[in-house]
Every structure is written in structure tokens, then in C-alpha cells.
Amino acid sequence: MLALVLASNIQHRASRSRNNPRLTNLRRCPMHRSFTIVALMVLLLLLGLNRIGTAQAVYDTVSIYELQFVPDPDANDLSPRLGDTVVVRGLVMHYPRDLWVGARWAVYIVDPDSFPNPWSGFFIIQHDTFAIQTGMGFLEPGMICYFTGVVDEFNHFSQVAVLTNPPVPITIESAGNPLPAPVLLTADDIDNRADAEQWESMWTRVENATIVNNQVPGNWASFTDATGATAFMGEYFNWFRDRLIGGTYTWPAPGTNFNVNGFIRDEPSGYTTNPRDTLDLEILTNPPVISDVTRNPGVPTSSDAVTVSATIVDNGFVQSATVHYSVDEGAWQQLAMTANQDTFSAQIPPQSDGAFVRYFVSAMDNDNEVSTFPGDTSRATGRVFFYTVRDAGLTIEDVQNTHGYAADNSGYEGYEVTLQGVVMTDSTDEVGDFWIQDDAAPWSGIWVNNVPTTAVKGDLVSVTGTVQESFTVTRLDNVTNVSVVTPGVGEFPPIDVTTGAVTTGAPTAEMYEDVLVRVQNVTVTDPFPDGFPGFGEFVVDDGTGGVRVDDFFDAFSGQVAADTTFPQGAHIDYIIAFGYFSFSNYKLIPRDSLDVGPMTAIGEPLPGLPTEFALEQNYPNPFNPTTDIEYSIARAGQYRLEVFNILGQRVRELASGYHNVGNFRITWDGRDDAGNRVSSGVYIYRLSGRDVSLSKKMILLK
């Protein structure tokens, strides 16, 4: 009973500290801190957590540096101890419920002996919060602890997952230690993997920075500093995330100068610094705040002058406001905006049919501080507002094409449009939604969301709805009309593309969003890119770069299962799918199982747990056209099984990715990475990875 009372008391205090950012460990009174620490230690004893040393003794104790350091982050930034169970020591930097990690506990830690040197920050997470015996839920900033868990990676972000089955308690070495000052960095230090990886999970500070864009997708803000590099602030701490999503807080206006303290996180879209609360964000200047930029009409014709309006406020007064506009990529022109209280407006003159018009808004206050909206108007990293003048109605490309701007917002976001296209899916694929295309070309498709009307594949339809960005995917929502223009015109065929053209980071990936494409002769290179059992995704590669395949559609949902329906190394003749984007990755979403061509499964796990690495002789040998290769992995980690010709050129990657300890069999079908059959001759197959490099010869005879 006493243990429960103490646990409740500690959790109540932790909750209070989260809601009041001023109650951090550095600012709380010593008497309060001492009571909490004593209560926690009593609680741990009552829960039977005093057998810590025995539980941890069976695992290696390593430093944070040993978990983090990699010699070439661009080539491989995965922890060298990936998959190992280890014990690591660190100073807890905040409360375990401060972060947005769902129903989990997590803390950033730093090495109290080596911080602020590079590679001295790490991340600890506990997935099962019912296992309170670990003591993770009762940690406080300033505690130096030993954590026991498995080293893993979440989207290239290194972490230790605390052991919970059975629970291995955390050892508290000491408590009440002062938190260190953050290490001073620049935007240039965290704008790319080669520079930023050494600062992953570190407690850092950037000074004299300037907000570039306060509306980066994902509730981020971009900023720059004297180095000229662009970096990002994220909302990984609940204080910011809850308020940004709830609409009660926005990042400072573009042009704002500030200092920021935060923890560095490796995200699929870039590295972010993540402040804990507004006390970590020191505002140095306050330029005008521009919001609610609109145009009227939203879909202009050649007879329309377009009124651009914006709400602009300042802590002093707005001295001037300007609409900047450009026609057909011409020079930027300026229009002075007139004020009606906080609403400012100006008119862009009528333009000819087919003209492409870009625009943005700027403002200056009485201190001559300037802001723009959007904050970043460059093509390389930002966006502007735009529209195409159409007298005969918009095309889907008018709505989808981003015109080379990095931010992929539609120029018609928030406006009602009418589009025509051929129905490419129906209710047997996805209930309530359908996809239309008006051509077999890039930018030609769009998702029509939440429509009660039943659509028929192959019909040419007219759809009226509001353009919406759903987590950066453009779609039509709030649909008010769907009518058949011409029935039975037939679906457009898929566009043949390479996996490298539609994968994350490819400059062409966005143009295939919502467009039906086909990739051919692909190999499954990772059946669980998010770890086992995954989220219904796997990765395929035709040799040009891997792309995720997602079971988004109702008719395909469940096809990607934990029983490795698409096992590593399997060869798939083709996949027909729509381009899609979610959780920072471009993906392919097949409509149903008929969109996935014949598969040759060429890898399977075998029973038994080996104690040493082995690569067996292939059988049969010589062979034609297929042969089996068995190998054993004695230590979990990243491994590859590859086939080379006698010149040392790689012919085929049979397996690549994380392997658990086990015995495996893979069948090589005599094809190269492009799916072509190879000629007769001698080939070398090699197993490589941490602590192993084994090879053997085999002969293909035709």
C-alpha cells in the first residue's frame, strides 16, 4: 500500500512539473527534490528492485560513445551495437512523460563524464508502461542511472529499449545532480547527416538564429543563422506538440530572431532541435505576424482581378504591407496593401488565359522589422502561393503541380474546385474514397476523399470539392458533387517507373502522387522497415533505390503481415500502385493483390540457433536455373548476402538488412538485380556484416 501511495505522489508531482515548465529540476527547491528522491528509493525497495546488480551483470556495460560513434554517418549511421542487449549509464535530462511517444516512457540522457563532447547523448525508451518494476516512470531530471535494454533504430534514430519481459530495473547511482549547460552549435552543424549525427540526442543551443518558415509540415519551423545553413525546430516535446496541434500556439513569425535550447533528433525529413517548452526559446525580436492569406476568387479566369488579403498584427504598429507577384516566371512586382484594421489587401490585375501567377506577402513594423508569408519563398526549401488562370476549367495538374517548390502544398489548398477525370478505383478497393486521373502522365491523379457516391472504374466523372492537404497529400474533400460525364471510357494504363524515381528523396517522387504507376522486376530488400511486426509495409528495389509498399487500400490491407507474406529476398515480377506519402516517406499503395505480380520467395528461416557464423556450399552445384544457399547468423545485426562475378562485380543482392540470430536458406534464381538471367560461369557468393565475411564459389551451367 505504501508503494502505491508513493508512486501516486511521484506521478502527481511529475504531472505538475510537465504542466508548469518553470518547475524543472534546476528550479525546484532542494527540500522538495530530496523528498521525491527518498520516496522513489523507498518505492524501488518495496517493489523489490534492489536486485539490480545481479540482473544487469549478464550484459555488457558500454558508454554512450560506444553506442553512438560511427566513422562515416553518410555511409552508415546505425549504432555499431544494433541488436545487442547492453547496460548504459547516463544523466537523465527531463521527465519520462515529457515527450510525444504515445503510451510509452522515454528520456534523453547524456554521459556525465564526457558531455559536451560529440557522441555523448542518447535516447532511452520503454514500450510497455505496465512494467512499472523498471522504475522508468518515476525518473527525474538530474538522476544518474544505469539502463538495461536492446539497442535499436527508429528511422535511423538510435535508442535503447528498456527490457520489460521480464522487467530489468534501472539502477539509480545518484540524484539531484545539476543539468549541464547545452553545447553551442550553429545551423550548419545540424543541417546534414555528416555533420549532425555526432550531435544526435545531445542537449544543444543555437544563438542569434532567424525563423525562415514557421509552417513546415510536421509542425516544424525552419531557421537559419550567420552560417547561412537551414535547420529545423521540432515538436517532440509534448508542451509544443499539444499546443501546436490544438491551435493555441504557433512558432514565432518568419523573420523573428531567437536563441533556442533543445535536443537533437534524427528524423526522416532531417535533423531537428527540440526545445522542452517556451523557456528554451528566447525571443530577441518581434516582427509583424502575417496570417490568413487568402485570394478572391480562388479559381480565377482571365476576366478576374484577384484580391489578396491577409491579417497582419504587431506589438507596435504595421508600417507597410506588400503583395509581391510574378506572372509566367517573370520579375517580381509589388502592390501596396491597404489596411482595414488588421486586414490588409491589394488586387492583382487580370491576366490572360493560361497565365501562371505566383505571389506572397511581406510587412514591416515601426521598428523596421520585416516578415514574409510564406516565410521561406525559395524554390529549393520553401513555397509561395500560386494559381493558373483558366477559362475552360482546371486540370488535375493545375491542382497538383508544385512548380519546383520544395514544400508540396497545392496552389488551390482551401479552395473549392471542379475537376474531371477517369475513375481508377472503386468501392471494392477502398470504401468511401476513389482516385481519378485525366491522363497517363505525371501530376495527373488526385484522391477524392469520403464520398458517399459509388464510383465505377473507367467512368469519366466531374467532381466538385475543396482541395485539402492531408499530411501533405493533396486530395479533394468536402465533396459537393460527383456526376458521370461519359461512362465506360476505360482506365488509364500505369506509367512504368523505376523504384528510385518514386522513393523518398527522389526529385520526381512528388509528381507521381495519386498517379497509377508500375515497377518491374523488384526484390524485397526489407520486409519490416519499421521493425517487427511493422505497420503493413515492406521495401522493394529494382536496383535504382528502395521504395516502401504500404497496405493502405482496404482490398490490400492485411496482405503485409507479420508472417512475412513478402519475405526478404523475394523476387516480384511487377507492382502496380498509386504514389503516396505518409510518415515522412514516399510509398506505393497497390489497390489489391491483383496489382502485385507473381512472386518467387527466395529466402526462409530454418530451425535452430547457431553459435557461430557459417556459409554453406550451395546445392545443387553446378546448377541450372536455381540453387539454394544456407547461412547462419550467430549475432543479431545488419548483414548482406551477395553474388559476384569473377571480375568482382556485384550481380545480385540476395539479402540485406537486420537479421536475428538464426539459420537461413535463400534460393538464387540465376537473375541479376535488374531481373535478367545471367550467363553460365563461376560466381562467388559472400556473407558480410559485423564480425563476419565468408565467401564460396558456385557454378551456373546452362
Side-chain angles (χ1 to χ4, degrees), residues 146 148 203 288 298 325 362 481 485 502 509 552 571 643 688 690:
Y146 288 86
T148 304
W203 173 229
Y325 77 99
S362 69
N481 179 68
V485 178
V502 290
F552 175 92
H571 178 271
V643 178
S688 61
R690 183 183 176 192

Side-chain angles (χ1 to χ4, degrees), residues 351-363:
Q351 305 296 325
S352 61
D353 184 30
F356 174 61
V357 180
R358 299 176 294 156
Y359 63 96
F360 65 93
V361 175
S362 69

Side-chain angles (χ1 to χ4, degrees), residues 548-625:
R548 290 177 178 236
V549 181
D550 193 331
D551 65 345
F552 175 92
F553 277 94
D554 291 340
F556 194 67
S557 180
Q559 298 293 316
V560 186
D563 61 359
T564 61
T565 307
F566 298 92
Q568 182 164 319
H571 178 271
I572 302 174
D573 287 359
Y574 63 84
I575 297 176
I576 297 172
F578 289 99
Y580 184 61
F581 183 88
S582 68
F583 294 98
S584 302
N585 282 292
Y586 284 94
K587 305 171 183 180
L588 298 177
I589 50 173
R591 293 167 294 187
D592 54 35
S593 58
L594 297 177
D595 278 343
V596 179
M599 178 181 69
T600 305
I602 56 175
E604 60 176 309
L606 301 174
L609 293 177
T611 58
E612 59 184 26
F613 292 97
L615 180 63
E616 307 298 337
Q617 186 64 53
N618 65 302
Y619 181 83
N621 188 43
F623 69 95
N624 180 29

Side-chain angles (χ1 to χ4, degrees), residues 303-434:
S303 61
D304 294 320
V306 176
T307 300
V308 176
S309 301
T311 300
I312 308 176
V313 296
D314 189 75
N315 60 346
F317 64 86
V318 178
Q319 182 171 282
S320 64
T322 305
V323 170
H324 306 255
Y325 77 99
S326 164
V327 180
D328 293 332
E329 303 292 343
W332 289 99
Q333 304 176 60
Q334 297 184 6
L335 298 170
M337 303 180 79
T338 57
N340 181 5
Q341 296 184 335
D342 292 335
T343 301
F344 292 72
S345 60
Q347 274 197 345
I348 298 175
Q351 305 296 325
S352 61
D353 184 30
F356 174 61
V357 180
R358 299 176 294 156
Y359 63 96
F360 65 93
V361 175
S362 69
M364 178 186 293
D365 66 10
N366 56 299
D367 293 321
N368 293 327
E369 294 174 352
V370 176
S371 61
T372 63
F373 196 87
D376 181 359
T377 59
S378 69
R379 269 199 162 95
T381 57
R383 60 174 289 215
V384 293
F385 302 106
F386 54 82
Y387 58 87
T388 301
V389 178
R390 294 292 187 198
D391 289 340
L394 296 174
T395 66
I396 294 177
E397 180 174 354
D398 291 332
V399 173
Q400 284 281 32
N401 197 331
T402 60
H403 298 277
Y405 283 91
D408 56 5
N409 301 67
S410 169
Y412 293 86
E413 182 181 4
Y415 297 103
E416 186 177 77
V417 301
T418 297
L419 300 173
Q420 286 192 7
V422 174
V423 178
M424 302 292 287
T425 69
D426 58 27
S427 58
T428 64
D429 302 315
E430 182 75 11
V431 177
D433 299 358
F434 60 89

Side-chain angles (χ1 to χ4, degrees), residues 76 185 576:
N76 180 12
L185 301 180
I576 297 172

